[in-house]
Amino acid sequence: MPLRAVAETLTRSRAEIPEATTWVDVDATDLLALRQQLTGADGRPVGLLAILARFVVAGLARFPELNARVDTGSAQIVHLDGVHLGIAAQTDRGLVVPSVADAHRLGMRGLDTEIRRLTAAARDGSVTAAELTRGSFTLNNYGVLGVDGSAAIINHPEVAMLGVGRVLPRPWVVDGAVVPRSITQLSLVFDHRVCDGGTAGGFLRFVADAVESPLSALADL
């Protein structure tokens, strides 16, 4: 996507969408341990983004308001049938958001394969226009930039974006004792026209609970 098109999308998003943000710190210690036990199609450990993507897709099935479009012409909210999960990728040409088509039909290994492929394509410039424009919800791992949080701009015409900060060892209270744990921050920016804080908070809490208890979450998916 040309830089001008990206700028126009972000400007339109800021101008049209009454956005709000909610966030939570989560204990990702068990998630990191689980990742070491899961291998992808290439034999490498499944990427953390793929595990999070699986939780996000499951969350969107429970909170479909966040997988939607606002039709300003008809003044209606249009709920989408499936999830095309956008993955924000930083490249030499700037930020682009290719999306995994029909992410709701893929398991964790399938998501891992597609995320790796799309990220590589975004960076070498081979990603297609269709892959850059079909997204219905975006997952943004800005932790790779070395930051904990971000007041992100929604990728118009989507209505929400989940951001993930860097994972750091921090003191955490577990069963009444302060212990070192791996903590990250999840933040959800959403279009207040499509839902209120209860729905947004419910989705964010679902993903956060899955991060903190990943084995239990995967058993229910």
Side-chain angles (χ1 to χ4, degrees), residues 130-149:
E131 290 169 335
L132 289 172
T133 56
R134 67 190 174 201
S136 63
F137 182 97
T138 292
L139 177 57
N140 187 354
N141 179 20
Y142 43 67
V144 297
L145 303 177
V147 299
D148 301 325

Side-chain angles (χ1 to χ4, degrees), residues 44-199:
R44 292 185 293 178
V46 168
L48 282 179
L49 210 55
I51 304 175
L52 289 170
R54 187 67 189 89
F55 296 154
V56 165
V57 170
L60 291 174
R62 290 163 174 78
F63 299 92
E65 298 91 337
L66 297 172
N67 191 60
R69 293 280 187 273
V70 175
D71 186 337
T72 55
S74 63
Q76 292 183 334
I77 297 173
V78 180
H79 296 285
L80 305 177
D81 291 333
V83 179
H84 299 323
L85 186 62
I87 303 296
Q90 193 68 41
T91 75
D92 292 340
R93 293 170 295 282
L95 180 69
V96 296
V97 189
S99 61
V100 178
D102 296 322
H104 58 290
R105 300 183 185 277
L106 298 177
M108 197 176 299
R109 288 188 176 91
L111 287 167
D112 185 59
T113 298
E114 272 299 283
I115 289 171
R116 291 183 190 275
R117 183 189 70 80
L118 287 168
T119 301
R123 289 172 179 160
D124 68 21
S126 63
V127 67
T128 67
E131 290 169 335
L132 289 172
T133 56
R134 67 190 174 201
S136 63
F137 182 97
T138 292
L139 177 57
N140 187 354
N141 179 20
Y142 43 67
V144 297
L145 303 177
V147 299
D148 301 325
S150 172
I153 300 175
I154 296 172
N155 186 28
H156 187 280
E158 298 170 21
V159 299
M161 174 188 295
L162 181 72
V164 186
R166 58 181 176 168
V167 182
L168 291 175
R170 291 180 178 172
W172 200 251
V173 178
V174 179
D175 297 328
V178 178
V179 295
R181 304 287 283 183
S182 297
I183 307 302
T184 188
Q185 184 181 97
L186 302 179
S187 60
L188 177 72
V189 55
F190 63 98
D191 186 333
H192 227 314
R193 296 173 297 180
V194 303
C195 70
D196 57 19
T199 297

Side-chain angles (χ1 to χ4, degrees), residues 24 26 38 48 57 82 84 94 120 205 213 216:
V24 63
V26 297
L38 299 174
L48 282 179
V57 170
H84 299 323
R205 192 65 254 172
S213 301
S216 177

